[in-house]
Amino acid sequence: MFDLFGPRKRTVATVGLPGHGKTVFLASLFWDSFFSLAETLKNGREHFAVRAVNPKADEVFYGNAKTLHELRLPPANPRSGDPQPAILEFMGVPCPRNGKRSRVWLTFYDVAGEVFNSDETARAEARYLQQVDDIIFLFDPTQPDFSALSAARLVDRIYRVVPGSEGKQYIIALAKMDELRVQDEWVDTIGDYWPGHPPHAYSLGEYLAEMESLSERFREWWSFPERQAHSLLATLPPRTRFCGVSSLGHQPDVDQDGRLKLKKKPEPFRVRDPLFWIFRAAKVM
């Protein structure tokens, strides 16, 4: 049964440090929705699907999916003084509680990580942050500039330049779980879930319960003494969600020209979790 009152609408921003993988993450999120969830969330005559609503979404999501299909990485998002929204419609979003299917329009904003290097550039080039409902902070722990200090600094910057941001949903996502999962501190957290499988309509409730459990585990990871992230955790909104993702499922190779190239088609790991947290905040899942 579909929602008869039109789609729910939310606006989403991805925020991260330069080179931490926001563009690849969004490409992988679309890939996972288009190929995996469209298959597993189908139930009889009820379907799950995603489509591009505006030209920017066609350019960004279909264009980058084509690049991934060719075993190449999408280019980094260019810096632009006037970022354009990319709107996706998700149809047949299932609710495990009542079986209802809903439509959701998500308006995505993604700008170059350099925009968030200062308050001035963030205010000038990320004015859309005023109107977003959800902010996905994406951090790559394998990058040399990653630390609790750099993460807290970015979160504080958003707090300063976006009045009322504490009322928005924060999603703190750690990338590169494919690389980190073999390290001692991650084995117990990720080992139980790797490589993971997309949920079916009948198992969606179990998957959402796993999301809750993983959110607590990742929150605990930030609280480890070696992270020194207690101040960061104390300043986050109470309903902040945590998750870990792998946009590709494996590490790319370097070809003879020094360019990164995929070894095989992407096999994303839990890139849908931030999407599902947004669906839950929209009260459709």
Side-chain angles (χ1 to χ4, degrees):
M1 179 179 178
F2 281 92
D3 191 345
L4 300 177
F5 301 100
R8 301 288 181 94
K9 296 182 179 181
R10 292 182 75 87
T11 301
V12 183
T14 54
V15 173
L17 301 171
H20 280 234
K22 295 188 291 85
T23 300
V24 178
F25 164 74
L26 286 177
S28 178
L29 185 150
F30 179 78
W31 178 284
D32 184 64
S33 297
F34 187 90
F35 290 109
S36 299
L37 296 180
E39 178 182 357
T40 62
L41 294 183
K42 179 178 180 290
N43 185 19
R45 292 186 175 184
E46 296 178 324
H47 299 267
F48 176 92
V50 58
R51 65 181 172 193
V53 174
N54 68 340
K56 184 65 175 178
D58 177 85
E59 171 193 339
V60 170
F61 290 106
Y62 277 104
N64 286 342
K66 181 176 182 293
T67 300
L68 291 177
H69 199 269
E70 296 166 350
L71 302 184
R72 296 183 291 117
L73 287 179
N77 205 23
R79 189 166 173 178
S80 169
D82 184 26
Q84 298 300 306
I87 306 173
L88 291 178
E89 179 179 11
F90 295 85
M91 297 172 287
V93 178
C95 177
R97 298 186 305 277
N98 56 25
K100 180 181 178 181
R101 296 272 176 156
S102 302
R103 294 164 56 213
V104 182
W105 280 29
L106 296 185
T107 299
F108 288 91
Y109 283 94
D110 179 40
V111 298
E114 289 79 6
V115 168
F116 303 107
N117 283 344
S118 72
D119 289 28
E120 291 73 21
T121 55
R123 286 194 180 96
E125 301 182 41
R127 292 185 296 273
Y128 58 83
L129 287 170
Q130 306 282 348
Q131 66 195 58
V132 303
D133 302 292
D134 310 279
I135 302 177
I136 302 172
F137 292 89
L138 186 68
F139 298 109
D140 179 354
T142 69
Q143 293 292 326
D145 62 348
F146 170 78
S147 67
L149 195 65
S150 62
R153 189 179 191 183
L154 180 60
V155 171
D156 285 356
R157 176 158 291 135
I158 299 303
Y159 175 80
R160 288 195 302 273
V161 303
V162 186
S165 62
E166 64 273 13
K168 303 179 186 299
Q169 176 174 232
Y170 279 19
I171 300 170
I172 308 292
L174 294 176
K176 295 289 182 67
M177 288 297 107
D178 56 288
E179 186 174 343
L180 294 170
R181 68 186 179 87
V182 296
Q183 298 184 12
D184 288 345
E185 64 180 321
W186 291 104
V187 170
D188 290 339
T189 299
I190 300 301
D192 293 341
Y193 300 97
W194 187 272
H197 302 284
H200 290 76
Y202 60 81
S203 63
L204 183 57
E206 297 174 11
Y207 189 93
L208 297 180
E210 288 181 0
M211 279 173 42
E212 295 275 4
S213 175
L214 276 171
S215 182
E216 289 305 312
R217 289 196 191 188
F218 281 108
R219 181 188 287 271
E220 290 172 5
W221 180 86
W222 283 94
S223 71
F224 290 168
E226 59 268 29
R227 294 286 93 71
Q228 297 182 314
H230 295 291
S231 181
L232 168 63
L233 292 174
T235 59
L236 291 172
R239 60 174 181 159
T240 298
R241 306 300 188 177
F242 297 81
C243 53
V245 304
S246 171
S247 297
L248 302 173
H250 67 277
Q251 290 299 298
D253 282 333
V254 180
D255 65 16
Q256 62 270 23
D257 298 319
R259 295 173 301 191
L260 291 175
K261 188 175 181 62
L262 302 186
K263 303 171 187 175
K264 55 185 177 179
K265 298 289 175 60
E267 297 175 345
F269 173 74
R270 302 197 79 97
V271 294
R272 68 192 70 94
D273 286 16
L275 179 68
F276 283 6
W277 282 123
I278 294 170
F279 288 159
R280 294 195 74 179
K283 302 187 185 306
V284 297
M285 180 174 277

